[in-house]
Amino acid sequence: MQNSQDRGELARQYEKLRLRFFFGETFLSLCVVGVFALAGPSKWLVAALQPAMGDGYAAAIVFTTLCLTGFTQMFLPLDYAGGFRMEHRFGLSNHKLSGWLADQGKSFALKLVLTNVFAVTLLALLRNAPQTWWIWAGCFWLVFGILLSHLFPILVM
C-alpha cells in the first residue's frame, strides 16, 4: 500500500497533467473556433447549405449539427488521452473502452439537443427582436441555466 506522501505526489502529478490538458484544449478550441468563424470555413458552409435549405431554422439545425460533429470528432483523440487514458494511468477508473465510448455518445447527443435549442432560439430572437435580441438571449440563457442546474442532477446524473 502506498503511503500518504506517495499518494500526495501522485495527486500533484495528476492535477498538473489535468491542468496542462485543460489549457491546451482550451487554447486549441479557441484557435479552431476562431479560424472556423473568421477565416472562411463557416461562410463556405453557410453558402453550401443555403441553396438547398434557405436560411431558416432547418438550416440552423443542420449548420449547428455539422459544426458540433466536426468539433467533437476533432477533439475525440484529446478527450481519449485526457480522459480515458489518463484516468486509467492514475488508477482512477476501471471503465472499459466500450463504456467510455457509450458515455461519449450520450454526451454528444445531449450537447446536440442543447446546442440546437440554443441555435434555434437565438435565430428566432434575431428575427423577432432585432434591436433587443441580446437582452432576451441573456434572459433565456439565465432561466435555462437555472432550470438545467436543477434538472441535471435528477435527469442526467
Side-chain angles (χ1 to χ4, degrees):
M1 181 160 169
Q2 292 179 334
N3 63 32
S4 61
Q5 192 174 16
D6 290 341
R7 286 189 303 234
E9 180 59 31
L10 198 60
R12 280 189 285 284
Q13 288 175 0
Y14 173 77
E15 190 56 36
K16 190 176 181 179
L17 198 54
R18 292 286 307 159
L19 203 55
R20 285 182 183 167
F21 264 96
F22 171 76
F23 285 121
E25 192 170 12
T26 300
F27 177 74
L28 189 59
S29 296
L30 290 172
C31 290
V32 168
V33 170
V35 166
F36 184 75
L38 302 175
S42 64
K43 292 176 186 175
W44 174 85
L45 185 55
V46 167
L49 289 174
Q50 208 163 26
M53 306 199 77
D55 60 357
Y57 297 110
I61 289 171
V62 170
F63 179 85
T64 303
T65 300
L66 290 172
C67 290
L68 185 63
T69 301
F71 193 82
T72 300
Q73 288 177 343
M74 187 179 300
F75 281 86
L76 192 60
L78 272 178
D79 291 339
Y80 173 76
F84 183 79
R85 293 288 298 160
M86 189 164 47
E87 298 292 318
H88 282 79
R89 175 180 167 196
F90 284 90
L92 298 173
S93 176
N94 59 3
H95 214 146
K96 295 194 182 328
L97 181 60
S98 59
W100 181 81
L101 287 170
D103 286 347
Q104 292 295 309
K106 291 176 205 171
S107 174
F108 176 76
L110 185 61
K111 286 178 195 175
L112 188 61
V113 169
L114 294 177
T115 304
N116 280 314
V117 165
F118 284 121
V120 168
T121 301
L122 187 59
L123 182 58
L125 290 171
L126 284 166
R127 287 183 172 178
N128 296 315
Q131 301 300 317
T132 58
W133 69 268
W134 56 276
I135 296 170
W136 298 110
C139 292
F140 174 76
W141 185 267
L142 177 68
V143 170
F144 195 81
I146 291 170
L147 183 65
L148 197 59
S149 70
H150 289 290
L151 292 178
F152 185 81
I154 297 166
L155 298 176
V156 177
M157 298 303 283

